[in-house]
Amino acid sequence: MTEQQPLTIGMLVFPRLTSLDILGPFEVLARAKNCLCSLVWKSTTPILGDTGLVVTPTVDFGSAPQYDVLVVPGGPGQNALMDDDEVLDFVRRQGEAAKWVTSVCTGSLVLAAAGLLNGYRATCHWLSIDYLALFGAIPVAERVVIDRNRITGAGVTSGLDFAFTLLSFLRGDSAAKAVQLFMEYDPAPPFDSGHPRVADLDIVSTVKLQTSEMLAQREVACRRAARKLASEKD
């Protein structure tokens, strides 16, 4: 695609989303030429992210056009979306016609519940990646996974790597590099603790314990959504 060709990018938001999942990619993609990013939800009433940040949707489902690019973030609120027919129907309709179908973190589980990742390689937050297989997706433990017109990012901060990868497809490597430089995206984390393969075992255990209740709810929601999706195909 050329920089002159306008692109519409629909970015789903929802109560208790992890704000960085969508705000990081928004910052990257909205800076590219002729990329119009919209925050989409059932209504334009402000919503609260999982840490209390207020996010205001700019477009409601009923007013949303068919987007060229669909981006679905994750967060604790993703659990409730797995049973929300209005959301899944919107994601499914958009995903079936979008040029690019994408996600960050557990947003890939929403794509999967909408039937958009069956047979596709995909990633997710490390705490939840195994649930992808319930929907016929192929879990891949990488930071960004590309399979045809599906691009999925792993947990939270992976959304920046995901966004630059997506932008390179939309506008070319040079455009993506220019935005990366402008944003001074030159990560040098103070600790080598960003994934269980490198983090101390006691830190991994602590994070698993802290998230155990939410993950138990997520497993129930995913299994229920997978059964429903399978029954719809029969």
Side-chain angles (χ1 to χ4, degrees):
M1 296 180 180
T2 66
E3 289 194 2
Q4 288 71 39
Q5 182 180 355
L7 286 172
T8 55
I9 303 175
M11 311 183 85
L12 185 71
V13 292
F14 51 86
R16 298 185 68 222
L17 86 161
T18 296
S19 305
L20 187 59
D21 282 5
I22 205 69
L23 299 183
F26 188 100
E27 282 293 317
V28 173
L29 298 171
R31 294 182 185 280
K33 188 175 181 180
N34 287 331
C35 285
L36 177 62
C37 295
S38 300
L39 301 178
V40 191
W41 180 234
K42 296 177 183 180
S43 73
T44 54
T45 302
I47 57 178
L48 288 178
D50 65 343
T51 56
L53 183 70
V54 177
V55 177
T56 303
T58 54
V59 181
D60 60 44
F61 285 175
S63 303
Q66 173 59 58
Y67 292 108
D68 297 306
V69 182
L70 174 67
V71 183
V72 180
Q78 163 264 320
N79 289 357
L81 303 190
M82 306 298 277
D83 291 318
D84 192 320
D85 288 337
E86 183 180 2
V87 173
L88 294 179
D89 287 346
F90 175 80
V91 170
R92 185 179 298 113
R93 289 195 309 272
Q94 287 286 334
E96 287 173 348
K99 296 180 177 69
W100 293 95
V101 179
T102 74
S103 65
V104 177
C105 198
T106 56
S108 58
L109 296 175
V110 178
L111 293 182
L116 297 172
L117 289 182
N118 185 32
Y120 286 85
R121 298 167 70 250
T123 192
C124 190
H125 192 286
W126 66 269
L127 283 166
S128 302
I129 190 170
D130 291 343
Y131 301 139
L132 284 170
L134 295 172
F135 302 92
I138 304 164
V140 180
E142 296 177 2
R143 197 156 172 85
V144 180
V145 174
I146 305 163
D147 188 346
R148 289 158 282 180
N149 74 330
R150 269 52 167 176
I151 304 180
T152 52
V156 193
T157 61
S158 302
L160 287 170
D161 299 68
F162 150 85
F164 287 114
T165 301
L166 174 59
L167 184 54
S168 71
F169 280 102
L170 299 178
R171 294 299 188 227
D173 290 356
S174 294
K177 290 177 181 179
V179 174
Q180 179 182 358
L181 178 59
F182 176 81
M183 293 179 63
E184 200 172 343
Y185 179 56
D186 184 25
F191 307 108
D192 195 15
S193 189
H195 193 274
R197 67 175 174 271
V198 295
D200 294 340
L201 292 179
D202 61 326
I203 299 295
V204 175
S205 297
T206 297
V207 171
K208 286 183 175 180
L209 181 61
Q210 290 172 339
T211 57
S212 59
E213 183 177 351
M214 183 269 293
L215 289 174
Q217 296 170 353
R218 176 164 291 155
E219 180 173 2
V220 170
C222 285
R223 292 189 180 279
R224 184 165 56 236
R227 288 194 298 270
K228 181 180 179 181
L229 184 63
S231 68
E232 291 173 351
K233 293 179 179 178
D234 292 340

